[in-house]
Amino acid sequence: MTTKFNDYLKKFSEIQTPFYFYDLDVLRSTLDKVREQSLKYNIKVHYAVKANANPRLLQIISSYGFGADCVSFNEIDMAIRCGFKPDQIVFAGVGKSDKEIVGALKAGISCFNCESLPEIEVINEFAKKSSLTANIALRINPNIEAHTHKYITTGIEESKFGVNLWELDEVITEALKLKNISLTGIHFHVGSQITKLSVFKGLCLKINEIKKTFETHNVKLESLNAGGGLGIDYDNPDIYPDFEKYFLIYNEMADRDPDQKFHIEPGRSLVAQCGSLITRVLYIKKGVNTQFAIVDAGMTDLIRPALYQANHKIENISSNCKSRRYDVVGPICESSDVFAKYIELPETKRGDFLAIRSAGAYGEAMASRYNLRDLAKAIFSDDLK
Ligand code: LLP
């Protein structure tokens, strides 16, 4: 399933640019693939809401029966309003505020993914005040290199996330003393945009090893959660990630007791490819060795190239003349506001539409109003048919 921009081009001309265009057929076909694998191996999918919390997308994703991985109370609230069941929602994050903990307890979520003993103690206190027992999964830092950008590497010892292996025994011992929490699971997330699938194999081996530590404490783990991280191919936006191989790794390599649940938390791989940022060319300007195509979208609409030097494929969907080299840049007053440097595009002119592909994940979700710009709207393929 590929996005056929030609079918929509006429409608695009009536819409204020820039905007996020979500091809819901692409979304559904991605979700179909993931659900098939999830059912095949009985691996429960919790969508990482942070990747894109657009309500329309959330409603579609929840209709697939997936759970949600949330990192703020606002995400929990939005997930519930969009059809996710509270008992299929996990609450992660290294810095949950008191207000968020109280809100999550009240909402009846399934589990808090906890990252430190002080956090567990606070959750225990609030649960006690409400005469509740909160389910806790311990997020463990397995010290695994994810081979991705350093800003989205989360499972090495220096990172702020999770409980380190050298303190695990102590944390388990202390947590077991608390009366209003129940230690029911373990959680991992080693990074994002991981394209080397061997990283997930290494994670399975660590999970198997770490499980034994819990056995020595006589803790019966109800669930193992391997987190998200499956990367996509930004150079080839119409090629889906290898979900079959990804699920197979977990099925074959993670030791799971028959009554133990296994969870994953994909974000990017579910929603990235259905989204494109559609922008209009404002000006073509001569540079020293290049031409600048100055567009009306900026790093405020898609920060990934500026923040992680990410490469998003760009297509001129209005033109197919002979090609030239361009730097595609936004209007923001920052030199990092560049979408791509020295890329080949068809001869491009003022008014052309460019599609910046694979923008469905961490695009709209990370938008800002820097320079007091308007937030770009979301447009859905179903509405243009
Ligand atoms: N679970 C946890 C605990 C996470 O921290 C994340 C992402 C996920 C799941 C989902 O990971 P995914 O499947 O999307 O890789 N803004 C960055 C990505 C940050 C990811 C943060 N955590 C980017 O645009 O590349």
Side-chain angles (χ1 to χ4, degrees), residues 90-234:
V90 298
F91 184 16
V94 69
K96 302 174 186 76
S97 72
D98 294 5
K99 189 174 162 210
E100 290 182 308
I101 292 169
V102 172
L105 282 169
K106 217 167 159 189
I109 62 158
S110 82
C111 181
F112 289 82
N113 292 343
C114 292
E115 311 219 6
S116 67
L117 191 55
E119 179 197 336
I120 298 173
E121 287 166 348
V122 170
I123 294 173
N124 182 65
E125 280 310 305
F126 282 115
K128 194 171 165 185
K129 277 188 196 148
S130 313
S131 311
L132 292 169
T133 306
N135 288 336
I136 298 293
L138 210 54
R139 175 163 175 181
I140 298 162
N141 179 343
N143 199 16
I144 285 183
E145 181 50 69
H147 301 287
T148 182
H149 193 280
K150 64 178 179 189
Y151 291 175
I152 48 178
T153 293
T154 50
I156 54 171
E157 242 176 22
E158 303 90 87
S159 68
K160 67 178 175 182
F161 300 102
V163 169
N164 281 307
L165 293 174
W166 45 264
E167 55 180 350
L168 187 55
D169 271 313
E170 188 198 337
V171 173
I172 297 172
T173 307
E174 293 306 311
L176 288 176
K177 291 180 189 160
L178 303 172
K179 298 275 182 295
N180 291 77
I181 60 122
S182 170
L183 185 53
T184 56
I186 49 177
H187 174 227
F188 302 83
H189 175 74
V190 296
S192 193
Q193 183 50 18
I194 296 170
T195 49
K196 268 192 178 179
L197 290 183
S198 59
V199 170
F200 300 113
K201 290 186 184 170
L203 175 60
C204 288
L205 299 179
K206 283 278 185 170
I207 295 177
N208 298 344
E209 207 180 296
I210 289 165
K211 264 181 71 181
K212 292 188 194 133
T213 309
F214 284 81
E215 282 157 20
T216 62
H217 287 269
N218 289 322
V219 177
K220 177 95 194 82
L221 294 173
E222 289 169 22
S223 65
L224 312 175
N225 181 344
L230 177 62
I232 64 155
D233 183 349
Y234 280 96

Side-chain angles (χ1 to χ4, degrees), residues 232 234 267-276 357-361:
I232 64 155
Y234 280 96
R268 183 189 320 265
S269 55
L270 265 50
V271 292
Q273 286 160 288
C274 75
S276 295
R357 304 290 310 273
S358 314

Side-chain angles (χ1 to χ4, degrees), residues 71-84:
V71 286
S72 69
F73 181 73
N74 288 346
E75 280 191 3
I76 294 174
D77 187 46
M78 179 63 91
I80 293 172
R81 283 195 278 134
C82 292
F84 288 94

Side-chain angles (χ1 to χ4, degrees), residues 330-341:
I332 312 293
C333 306
E334 300 263 346
S335 296
S336 58
D337 187 28
V338 174
F339 287 114
K341 270 191 179 306

